[in-house]
Amino acid sequence: MMLASHSVSVATNRATTSAHATAAFGFSNFTSSSLCKEFAQLPICFDAKKPICKQKFVQLLAAQEGNLSRTITACSTSGNNSEPEESRTTACTNFKVLADTEKCESSRDVGDKFVTSILYSDADANFKAGNLGNQDNLFDKLKAVHLHILAMEQWNASRLKLCHRTYLVSAANLIHYVALKSLDIGQLKADLSSLGLLNLETINPHVLASLSAGIQMLENLKSNSFASKTSGEISNSKILSIQEKKEFTVNRMAKREFDRSKLLLGSLREQRTSHIMVTVGEEAAESETLITDLLKTGTTIIRINCAHGNPATWSEIIRRVKQSSQMLEKPCRIIMDLAGPKLRTDKLKAGPCIMKISPKKNAAGEVIFPSQIWMSPQGGGPPPSHASPDAVLYIDGQEFLSKLEIGDNVTFCDARGKKRSLRISNKYSVFAGVGLMAECKNTSYVKSGTILYIKGKKSKSAVGFVRDVPAVEQFVRLRVGDLLVISRDSLNEHEISSSNIGSPRVTCSSGYLFDSVKPGQRIAFDDGKIWGVIKGTSISEILVSITHAGPRGTKLGSEKSINIPESDIQFEGLTSKDLIDLDFVATHADMVGVSFVRDVQDIIVLRREIEKRKLENLGIILKIETKGGYKNLPLMLLEAMKSPNPVGVMIARGDLAVECGWENLADIQDEILSTCSAAHVPVIWATQVLESLTKSGVPTRAEITDAASGRRASCIMLNKGKHILEAVSTLDTILKTSSTELSPEVKPLMLSSHLS
């Protein structure tokens, strides 16, 4: 068996390497991750002019159909002997070493490499670096991993050349990380940790530099540095040459990660390591103080969801943000999320414009606390931040409001014709005049047009009219065992079965849903609050049997999410609405959030639209909320890095948990954090952060620790709620507590300073 002179190479079969690398990267549910499928299919090649070491071989653990066996993974020439040597261990009988002179001739552009391959005669195998044979020399083991990573970078050289120059180093480090993840290095981690030399769990932002530093430390510990003293071997100065490139050092790579976050998200508030992002809606456009209060309590980014509202509402929110930011001298950036191709229930038919006002009662039905009502003129703004009204009434009649004093009683007849009264408990000055807090001790139903009188005052001018009572939000209540009909069109008369007449019904106008689902598939509603199984389908309707809901049933309302984890729905990357909204985002926001990205093609479409609009400074946030988005994240990041735009990732845990399984969410978010750290890309930690506190004013223990765990991300997002200001203040305190000793610039550097 002949080997070409001065040549060393290792080749892996692409299909088997891909399958094993996928399993090494993802966890048990994801067995076909394209993350490693794309990257790991490469020959591992060494510079043949400098063999690894005289008459020595680096060994890796190969996996053949699940069985581990030791095998040669590198060969070398010996001293001055011009004839190459071939050698194998007793455990490598399944492999043949063949000369590949044709490959040699076709590889002149990369020097004397790729000239010999190990071909597999039976089932193909994947390299494993966990147990590198029975060698007790960590030095050789770590060098083997180091060379594997260098080979991966060379194999993807053409991919790297396409990246924008500002991302070249980060893209290379991402490939190094993927290469490391494709190997089973569990035992190597344990061996290195036992010596206190290197923690492979913390090297993601600077993989190659850390491995080089580890090799250097191991060499310093060796009593006999035979490798560095043999002229025909790869010298450690060669291995560590990457350290000579200043941009690849540990400190420079860590600083790059911090700088990317600053470029995308802005400067951090004093004593904080993460930004606070808050989602706002129409309430922010109507309130004179909400945005200002949010900025005062620690918010640095305002998020607008283009799935809700309209350009007029968005414009007013943005105007208030910029005005408050300038007035308070507190920088605040704006992100607008494109709605994306999300499946949602359509709006249900509006209910009556009636508001129910109910006091709090005890078990005997006795009133223990009257309901609190805020009364103000239209456009008068919200109540003071310390007040928490149960209802808000807008009154047409400024003269009427101005005549009211504390202690006055206001009488009216409610929608049922019953006489009711309100007692004024407080009076405030507001933007449009006077605002009042009132108490009501009886259950009342108030509708638009209700006439209010001041008790004891007969003047005809002392009359007010209730205006703009919102319509009652409609919903269907679903219980386990119910049959739910999803219709393509609310006017559609077609039924799956006449026996389903009278069943709860919602509509979904997206054709994707009806064209792709099959009987037997699971379906989830409202971020997994309700689950069911599809029992039947037709061209215009889907019949669902509810399998999970609350003990008393669960409400399903308008614009609630629909997920079918087992389906293969082929969505378009950007919808027609997204393209229209992108034009608005381009002139009003600092960042655009791209919802439901699934693969590289979605990023290609996005880049094309951004380049068409010449938006090279617009920040891009990839929202990872599907199984495909998670599996394809490294490839999507490399595609996004072809443009100069600042890039970030949002872990949208709502849809992600439903799509991938609740029990897998913790591992998934950790893997996303690690991947983004390797790419030096900022991460936004989102969905249900401090949700109980935001909605009820009281946090759970679990969500406090979840918020603290979010400190690993560059930004933490809060959703809107009645107690959003308290939630922002609490989160601000948590983030400051984590950084009382270390500034954000120093902290990531000190974590790995021993590797510098």
Side-chain angles (χ1 to χ4, degrees):
M1 202 158 301
M2 300 296 295
L3 291 175
S5 178
H6 298 296
S7 63
V8 182
S9 179
V10 177
T12 63
N13 178 274
R14 296 188 176 188
T16 307
T17 298
S18 174
H20 284 289
T22 299
F25 171 74
F27 57 101
S28 58
N29 286 37
F30 303 148
T31 57
S32 59
S33 171
S34 59
L35 178 145
C36 291
K37 189 176 293 184
E38 291 284 340
F39 294 134
Q41 301 172 5
L42 74 161
I44 301 179
C45 57
F46 308 140
D47 189 343
K49 294 180 180 179
K50 297 196 176 183
I52 293 181
C53 44
K54 184 177 180 180
Q55 297 180 342
K56 293 212 175 263
F57 307 95
V58 178
Q59 297 180 356
L60 296 178
L61 196 65
Q64 179 183 350
E65 296 181 351
N67 298 319
L68 301 182
S69 59
R70 187 168 34 135
T71 179
I72 297 174
T73 57
C75 303
S76 70
T77 59
S78 172
N80 297 323
N81 186 359
S82 61
E83 290 298 321
E85 294 183 352
E86 177 199 354
S87 179
R88 68 176 68 243
T89 67
T90 57
C92 67
T93 55
N94 293 329
F95 302 93
K96 298 178 181 178
V97 181
L98 303 175
D100 191 348
T101 55
E102 182 180 352
K103 181 81 173 180
C104 180
E105 290 298 320
S106 64
S107 303
R108 298 297 183 187
D109 56 325
V110 293
D112 297 326
K113 302 182 180 182
F114 297 109
V115 292
T116 304
S117 298
I118 295 179
L119 303 181
Y120 305 151
S121 58
D122 298 325
D124 299 318
N126 174 45
F127 290 119
K128 297 285 185 176
N131 294 313
L132 302 175
N134 292 320
Q135 294 186 52
D136 54 6
N137 193 331
L138 283 178
F139 179 79
D140 286 340
K141 295 179 184 180
L142 206 56
K143 279 203 301 183
V145 174
H146 187 280
L147 290 168
H148 169 68
I149 287 171
L150 289 176
M152 180 75 87
E153 180 184 337
Q154 182 177 1
W155 184 258
N156 288 279
S158 59
R159 192 190 300 270
L160 287 172
K161 287 179 182 178
L162 297 175
C163 292
H164 191 269
R165 63 181 183 277
T166 59
Y167 284 112
L168 270 177
V169 174
S170 298
N173 191 71
L174 176 59
I175 289 175
H176 299 160
Y177 168 78
V178 173
L180 188 65
K181 290 292 293 184
S182 71
L183 302 174
D184 181 3
I185 54 175
Q187 186 59 47
L188 182 59
K189 287 180 183 179
D191 293 342
L192 290 170
S193 297
S194 66
L195 295 176
L197 291 178
L198 186 64
N199 183 357
L200 296 182
E201 295 289 346
T202 63
I203 69 172
N204 302 339
H206 31 71
V207 175
L208 203 58
S210 298
L211 290 176
S212 299
I215 293 172
Q216 183 67 64
M217 287 187 288
L218 283 168
E219 184 184 29
N220 294 339
L221 291 175
K222 290 176 64 175
S223 58
N224 181 18
S225 301
F226 60 90
S228 61
K229 297 179 181 179
T230 305
S231 59
E233 301 163 5
I234 297 179
S235 67
N236 290 316
S237 60
K238 176 69 175 179
I239 292 177
L240 300 178
S241 62
I242 197 70
Q243 290 281 53
E244 297 173 1
K245 300 178 181 180
K246 292 183 179 180
E247 67 271 18
F248 275 93
T249 62
V250 172
N251 283 347
R252 288 294 295 270
M253 298 287 258
K255 186 177 185 300
R256 186 180 298 272
E257 189 174 15
F258 173 77
D259 290 343
R260 286 273 164 73
S261 177
K262 184 177 180 180
L263 179 64
L264 179 68
L265 305 174
S267 299
L268 287 163
R269 292 278 181 93
E270 187 178 356
Q271 297 183 331
R272 280 217 322 238
T273 57
S274 300
H275 288 271
I276 297 177
M277 177 188 296
V278 176
T279 302
V280 298
E282 292 185 5
E283 74 285 350
E286 297 169 355
S287 170
E288 292 293 328
T289 60
L290 178 58
I291 294 295
T292 300
D293 291 340
L294 285 172
L295 268 58
K296 285 180 179 178
T297 49
T299 303
T300 52
I301 302 172
I302 292 294
R303 172 178 173 264
I304 299 171
N305 189 350
C306 293
H308 308 287
N310 54 63
T313 301
W314 304 336
S315 296
E316 180 60 20
I317 294 172
I318 293 168
R319 183 190 70 80
R320 292 180 186 272
V321 171
K322 293 182 176 179
Q323 183 183 62
S324 298
S325 177
Q326 185 176 12
M327 178 183 66
L328 297 173
E329 297 184 348
K330 293 183 181 294
C332 181
R333 296 202 174 181
I334 297 168
I335 175 175
M336 298 186 71
D337 282 5
L338 302 179
K342 183 171 184 175
L343 296 176
R344 298 178 184 270
T345 59
D346 291 342
K347 284 191 175 182
L348 298 175
K349 184 178 180 180
C353 295
I354 296 178
M355 180 183 298
K356 182 181 179 181
I357 300 173
S358 301
K360 291 181 175 60
K361 300 179 181 181
N362 60 17
E366 299 170 339
V367 175
I368 57 175
F369 195 77
S371 56
Q372 304 296 303
I373 302 164
W374 172 252
M375 301 168 59
S376 73
Q378 292 171 294
S385 57
H386 64 272
S388 299
D390 300 304
V392 175
L393 295 179
Y394 293 109
I395 310 301
D396 182 9
Q398 183 60 48
E399 183 181 357
F400 167 78
L401 292 172
S402 62
K403 288 183 177 181
L404 286 170
E405 301 294 340
I406 296 175
D408 283 351
N409 288 303
V410 175
T411 61
F412 65 96
C413 288
D414 76 356
R416 302 168 299 171
K418 297 195 174 187
K419 292 184 178 180
R420 294 290 184 257
S421 65
L422 306 173
R423 181 181 178 277
I424 306 301
S425 59
N426 248 316
K427 189 172 183 178
Y428 303 91
S429 294
V430 295
F431 178 74
V434 177
L436 305 108
M437 285 295 295
E439 298 177 347
C440 183
K441 294 183 177 181
N442 302 101
T443 299
S444 307
Y445 292 83
V446 181
K447 62 180 181 180
S448 294
T450 298
I451 304 174
L452 306 179
Y453 302 94
I454 304 176
K455 188 175 181 179
K457 297 184 180 181
K458 303 300 183 182
S459 172
K460 291 183 180 180
S461 61
V463 172
F465 299 89
V466 177
R467 301 297 188 198
D468 298 335
V469 174
V472 176
E473 183 180 350
Q474 297 292 81
F475 59 87
V476 294
R477 186 179 294 276
L478 299 173
R479 297 174 174 82
V480 174
D482 283 352
L483 290 177
L484 172 70
V485 177
I486 306 175
S487 174
R488 187 190 292 260
D489 188 339
S490 59
L491 300 178
N492 200 317
E493 298 296 330
H494 182 79
E495 298 284 346
I496 294 178
S497 168
S498 60
S499 63
N500 297 318
I501 297 175
S503 296
R505 177 183 293 271
V506 295
T507 61
C508 177
S509 55
S510 173
Y512 294 112
L513 178 64
F514 298 88
D515 298 339
S516 305
V517 298
K518 300 175 182 178
Q521 291 180 331
R522 295 184 308 142
I523 184 170
F525 302 92
D526 197 5
D527 287 341
K529 293 184 177 69
I530 303 169
W531 283 86
V533 175
I534 296 174
K535 291 298 185 182
T537 63
S538 76
I539 193 172
S540 58
E541 289 186 344
I542 299 171
L543 183 64
V544 178
S545 175
I546 303 302
T547 58
H548 174 80
R552 298 183 179 180
T554 302
K555 297 178 181 178
L556 178 60
S558 302
E559 299 183 325
K560 299 302 180 182
S561 63
I562 301 176
N563 297 88
I564 306 98
E566 299 162 6
S567 71
D568 187 24
I569 300 178
Q570 300 298 319
F571 292 102
E572 56 183 317
L574 294 175
T575 66
S576 55
K577 180 184 186 314
D578 291 337
L579 295 177
I580 295 172
D581 292 343
L582 183 59
D583 292 330
F584 182 93
V585 173
T587 56
H588 292 83
D590 303 294
M591 294 169 274
V592 59
V594 191
S595 302
F596 295 94
V597 288
R598 287 171 170 80
D599 52 35
V600 171
Q601 186 58 38
D602 291 342
I603 309 303
I604 293 174
V605 172
L606 174 67
R607 286 184 55 243
R608 182 171 64 240
E609 295 299 328
I610 286 179
E611 289 172 2
K612 185 188 301 183
R613 293 165 174 78
K614 299 180 179 179
L615 304 174
E616 62 273 4
N617 294 321
L618 181 68
I620 299 172
I621 304 296
L622 307 182
K623 296 178 64 180
I624 307 303
E625 43 199 332
T626 66
K627 187 182 297 186
Y630 163 65
K631 292 164 61 178
N632 297 317
L633 178 57
L635 295 173
M636 292 193 299
L637 287 175
L638 287 172
E639 182 64 33
M641 287 177 177
K642 294 179 181 179
S643 299
N645 301 72
V647 178
V649 165
M650 178 185 289
I651 308 177
R653 299 184 296 177
D655 286 285
L656 193 60
V658 176
E659 290 269 334
C660 301
W662 304 93
E663 67 280 6
N664 298 324
L665 182 60
D667 290 324
I668 289 174
Q669 67 184 16
D670 283 349
E671 190 55 58
I672 293 174
L673 283 166
S674 296
T675 302
C676 292
S677 176
H680 308 141
V681 166
V683 174
I684 300 169
W685 183 279
T687 312
Q688 293 185 318
V689 179
L690 297 178
E691 183 178 40
S692 296
L693 175 58
T694 303
K695 292 184 175 180
S696 69
V698 180
T700 65
R701 279 84 170 160
E703 68 184 20
I704 289 293
T705 56
D706 174 66
S709 296
R711 295 182 300 207
R712 294 179 290 168
S714 301
C715 178
I716 301 177
M717 190 188 87
L718 299 174
N719 279 318
K720 56 188 177 180
K722 188 176 180 180
H723 302 277
I724 184 61
L725 295 178
E726 293 95 317
V728 172
S729 179
T730 299
L731 182 56
D732 182 63
T733 301
I734 292 172
L735 295 179
K736 286 181 178 177
T737 301
S738 71
S739 56
T740 53
E741 296 180 1
L742 300 178
S743 67
E745 295 91 343
V746 175
K747 191 172 184 179
L749 305 183
M750 293 188 65
L751 288 174
S752 52
S753 60
H754 64 287
L755 301 176
S756 303

